[in-house]
Amino acid sequence: MSVRLNHAAIFFNEKTGEFHLQGRNFSYIFKILKNNQLGHLYFGKKIHHRDSFSHLFTISPRSNTTCQYEEDESFSLELIKQEYPSFGTTDFREPAFQIIQENGSRITNFEYIKHKIFKGKPKLDGLPSTYTENEDEAITLELVLYDHLIETELTLFYTVFDRFDALTRSAKFVNKGNQRLSLTRAMSVNIDFFDSNFEMLHLSGAWARERHVKIRKLEQGIQSISSTRGTASSPHHNPFIALKRPETTEHQGEVFGFSLVYSGNFLAQVEVDHYGVSRVTMGINPFDFNWLLKKNESFQTPEAVIVYSDQGLNGMSQIYHELYRTRLARGPWRDKIRPILINTWEATYFDFDEEKILNIAKTAKELGIELVVLDDGWFGNRNDDKTSLGDWFPNKKKLPNGISGLAKKINDMGLKFGLWFEPEMISKASNLYKKHPDWLIQVPGRRLSHGRNQYILDFSRKEVIEYIYSMIDNILSDAPISYIKWDMNRYMTEIGSLGLPPERQGELSHRYLLGLYSLLEKLTSKYPDILFESCASGGGRFDPGMLYYAPQTWTSDNTDAVERLKVQYGTSMVYPLSSMGAHVSGVPNHQVHRITSLNTRAAVAYFGIFGYEFDITKLSEREKNIIRKQIDFYKKHQELIQTGKFYRLLSPFTGTKNEVAWMVVSRDQKEAIAGYYRILAEPLPGFKKLVLKGLNPDFEYKIEGLPQTYFGDELMNFGILLDELGGNWKKELTGDFVSLVFALHTL
């Protein structure tokens, strides 16, 4: 039995009970074990299908093991690599799930019942996920297991894409019995690798230094990253890890990527056991999680997206980029060229009125900017960060004509208008709080902590979602708004809901996310032509879950060009340039107070969704001319940047850490743009060259501003001699914080 597409296939060997999932370049094989549970056999480079893979299965007896059958001293789950393991029946590693029953037992026995293989990919109830536009893009395996004692069904979902070396996994639990069950752990994916000869790569940091690349060698024991912040996946750890071989580089070698389509508490973990087996698990963080399942109730885990590459880290990244750009992001803005914007935040903060915004808009129009975004401070009585969150109506003292009047005036200039919201939060100094103090996340009798003088609305409650929806809908239906910046600046503390019974308090963090997703689904469905950009104190919620609703994310509150090199480089491990908000800001920079040139600030911001964020009304004529040229350059290359293949060339995390380089190549390889950055000047440096990637070796390329032409093989093997650049090129390499941008096209 099998279902095949052009490059993908799923086979079932009925006699041996084996499932073989094939992608373009990978194979994933598992089988039904003697105990009717599932054992993992292989995940790696694509291999031929055959009628039996029994030779890949081994359970060689080991001393001091516990075994499931009295007559069989070899069948121990401690020795077997598994698909979705439980705890307590001879496997002592951390499990994929755990269910507490009414008698206190945590022991389960889910056995294979049936499966089906079909073209296409089903949606997940209430959760974001990758998708297909027709059934010939992917194949799905739904595999059903059942525990007869507790009368509970477990369905494992596997989808293989035809175009991408990507496999998605999730799980669904359904209580079909009469007892109440507590699901305390429900991971989205588990894979037991044959060995532990890997390095674990993850993206960690903090506010203003998000997604820095970290690499560590796997050792016996548990190595993990996680979030317990409730409202966000967090800037501290991104819901992504990769396992790469020690010899794997950016462009060569084997790597396995794991990315969770979720925006809240998560756990990504690798446990190496005493036999050198690496168990990867990823899903909702079991810490502070408890989900009650009554009769006929179900729980669906978020989706994990697993990518295989034998073309190094950059090969893995390119798969994620194309998949997330075209089959995670949705709506008209998925493929449309995004407008170049000016955001008012660093220009005005809370201190503005209509006249000031209109003056910014007038200057923006002169420069070629296309969208004016009014940030925080336009609503309620908001003049600082202490009031008015929840009161989503215009501040008529600042904006006497309201949002509608301001937006129409900006539209009349030939510009689009955008608006900032932080709908998930509430201020105590607000009309909403006076009416509904019970709508805060809180624990009765406990002091409420605050962050940024704000508190969190209980999005697990449908009445809260409906109220916030109606407030935003009133604004959007009344004014010509083209863009929304959706912000979130507060993590959960005193986690409790006055709307949930005691036995469901452990569900709040996940229910909050389900409420958020439902609100975003409702708004994006009604207003599909509005471009949404997500934000969470910058990049605190830069995750696949939010990309499903908002095709771009504010990458970091840190707009310093030098710091952005690390942030954008790390972000590119998983996320496409089309998802990265990247702005040119003023100097001294508002976060690190560094002074960098206007050229370098733009050279970094080009490699993302481009915009500006400072008071452009104070520019000199010289600076205005520079910005006009920057905007012309970006518009000329915007489609290439947004849809091309991205290559990392020099890393800020390895080597000298003083040079960074990357490039984008068009799908037909006829165009490319490369950025080179040197952070600090060096005394008597060695000779420098920049070696490019991704070009056609037989094409002849012209680099704008240089007299000669180059064949692709020259540029990819020898490179561009930076020392021999003359004129303005050489001048640009003088001093600290310098950059060069090369635009290439074929003759």
Side-chain angles (χ1 to χ4, degrees), residues 125-127 291 459 509-519:
D125 293 339
L127 286 165
W291 196 273
F459 269 29
S509 295
H510 183 60
R511 287 189 180 275
Y512 179 96
L513 266 295
L514 294 178
L516 170 63
Y517 291 151
S518 71
L519 177 58

Side-chain angles (χ1 to χ4, degrees), residues 220-240:
Q220 184 173 332
I222 291 174
Q223 30 265 290
S224 67
I225 58 169
S226 64
S227 173
T228 57
R229 294 176 181 264
T231 53
S233 48
S234 90
H236 310 93
H237 299 291
N238 197 259
F240 161 80

Side-chain angles (χ1 to χ4, degrees), residues 26-280:
F26 73 84
S27 284
Y28 187 102
I29 306 171
F30 61 96
K31 67 171 291 179
I32 302 166
L33 297 169
K34 174 181 177 179
N35 62 355
N36 281 327
Q37 295 176 16
L38 303 177
H40 183 79
L41 298 182
Y42 174 78
F43 181 28
K45 184 76 173 174
K46 189 173 186 175
I47 59 178
H48 287 93
H49 182 67
R50 55 189 300 158
D51 293 337
S52 172
F53 290 101
S54 59
H55 57 292
L56 302 182
F57 180 66
T58 177
I59 49 171
S60 302
R62 298 287 192 275
S63 59
N64 198 30
T65 57
T66 53
C67 302
Q68 284 206 325
Y69 300 97
E70 291 185 9
E71 75 282 1
D72 186 345
E73 295 187 1
S74 64
F75 193 89
S76 171
L77 295 178
E78 187 176 4
L79 304 174
I80 295 174
K81 288 167 277 295
Q82 295 168 72
E83 276 298 292
Y84 203 70
S86 62
F87 179 79
T89 59
T90 74
D91 186 355
F92 299 94
R93 294 164 290 183
E94 293 205 357
F97 68 97
Q98 193 156 40
I99 299 173
I100 300 177
Q101 296 131 59
E102 287 183 346
N103 64 1
S105 172
R106 287 88 63 212
I107 304 304
T108 55
N109 183 37
F110 282 94
E111 297 181 275
Y112 168 82
I113 298 295
K114 61 182 178 179
H115 73 272
K116 62 178 178 178
I117 303 170
F118 56 92
K119 292 182 180 180
K121 184 177 188 291
K123 289 185 176 181
L124 299 187
D125 293 339
L127 286 165
S129 63
T130 56
Y131 60 89
T132 57
E133 291 190 339
N134 64 72
E135 66 173 18
D136 289 325
E137 291 185 356
I139 313 172
T140 295
L141 165 66
E142 287 187 9
L143 195 150
V144 180
L145 303 101
Y146 197 75
D147 187 318
H148 294 273
L149 183 63
I150 62 174
E151 298 177 286
T152 300
E153 185 177 272
L154 167 59
T155 302
L156 302 181
F157 299 91
Y158 300 77
T159 295
V160 183
F161 284 90
D162 196 50
R163 286 174 51 205
F164 315 101
D165 273 320
L167 166 70
T168 68
R169 285 193 55 182
S170 68
K172 184 176 183 178
F173 296 83
V174 183
N175 182 358
K176 296 193 170 184
N178 292 314
Q179 69 167 301
R180 292 152 59 102
L181 304 174
S182 291
L183 188 61
T184 60
R185 185 183 183 96
M187 306 306 280
S188 298
V189 62
N190 180 99
I191 298 179
D192 288 354
F193 285 90
F194 184 83
D195 65 291
S196 58
N197 185 32
F198 291 106
E199 293 174 334
M200 172 177 153
L201 183 149
H202 57 101
L203 306 175
S204 299
W207 175 80
R209 51 179 174 84
E210 298 91 338
R211 289 172 302 285
H212 285 201
V213 177
K214 308 290 183 181
I215 298 175
R216 61 175 103 166
K217 186 180 183 301
L218 290 190
E219 300 287 354
Q220 184 173 332
I222 291 174
Q223 30 265 290
S224 67
I225 58 169
S226 64
S227 173
T228 57
R229 294 176 181 264
T231 53
S233 48
S234 90
H236 310 93
H237 299 291
N238 197 259
F240 161 80
I241 61 171
L243 294 188
K244 73 179 195 71
R245 297 298 181 183
E247 65 273 13
T248 295
T249 64
E250 273 290 349
H251 304 286
Q252 292 181 323
E254 192 171 55
V255 59
F256 302 84
F258 298 83
S259 174
L260 189 67
V261 187
Y262 194 61
S263 308
N265 293 344
F266 76 91
L267 173 67
Q269 174 176 294
V270 186
E271 179 177 5
V272 178
D273 73 5
H274 49 297
Y275 296 119
V277 171
S278 301
R279 169 168 290 180
V280 178

Side-chain angles (χ1 to χ4, degrees), residues 697-708:
D698 300 319
F699 286 178
E700 189 174 4
Y701 292 91
K702 171 70 176 173
I703 299 178
E704 294 178 16
L706 294 182
Q708 68 272 30

Side-chain angles (χ1 to χ4, degrees), residues 234-366:
S234 90
H236 310 93
H237 299 291
N238 197 259
F240 161 80
I241 61 171
L243 294 188
K244 73 179 195 71
R245 297 298 181 183
E247 65 273 13
T248 295
T249 64
E250 273 290 349
H251 304 286
Q252 292 181 323
E254 192 171 55
V255 59
F256 302 84
F258 298 83
S259 174
L260 189 67
V261 187
Y262 194 61
S263 308
N265 293 344
F266 76 91
L267 173 67
Q269 174 176 294
V270 186
E271 179 177 5
V272 178
D273 73 5
H274 49 297
Y275 296 119
V277 171
S278 301
R279 169 168 290 180
V280 178
T281 51
M282 174 179 273
I284 293 174
N285 197 332
F287 176 81
D288 201 42
F289 171 81
N290 185 87
W291 196 273
L292 178 63
L293 285 177
K294 296 180 181 179
K295 183 179 178 65
N296 294 326
E297 290 184 341
S298 64
F299 182 82
Q300 171 67 56
T301 73
E303 179 174 274
V305 180
I306 303 127
V307 159
Y308 172 79
S309 170
D310 61 355
Q311 300 298 310
L313 292 168
N314 209 105
M316 173 199 70
S317 298
Q318 288 180 348
I319 297 168
Y320 276 122
H321 292 178
E322 187 69 3
L323 177 63
Y324 283 177
R325 185 179 68 81
T326 65
R327 291 298 179 267
L328 179 65
R330 300 177 300 161
W333 286 105
R334 183 191 75 179
D335 302 318
K336 286 172 65 174
I337 296 301
R338 318 277 169 77
I340 296 172
L341 65 81
I342 174 74
N343 184 289
T344 64
W345 180 240
E346 289 192 13
T348 66
Y349 291 102
F350 297 105
D351 182 19
F352 63 84
D353 55 21
E354 183 177 271
E355 182 181 4
K356 185 178 285 189
I357 301 303
L358 290 174
N359 285 336
I360 289 173
K362 181 181 177 182
T363 305
K365 178 64 177 176
E366 294 172 0

Side-chain angles (χ1 to χ4, degrees), residues 553-611:
T553 300
W554 183 224
T555 314
S556 175
D557 277 346
N558 193 337
T559 55
D560 172 65
V562 174
E563 289 302 314
R564 271 297 187 108
L565 291 171
K566 291 181 179 178
V567 172
Q568 291 175 210
Y569 188 99
T571 304
S572 77
M573 281 288 166
V574 193
Y575 306 102
L577 300 191
S578 61
S579 68
M580 297 187 210
H583 297 174
V584 176
S585 64
V587 291
N589 175 263
H590 289 203
Q591 290 78 46
V592 299
H593 309 290
R594 194 186 340 257
I595 296 175
T596 54
S597 72
L598 200 48
N599 285 340
T600 290
R601 281 174 271 160
V604 177
Y606 285 150
F607 292 86
I609 300 302
F610 189 66

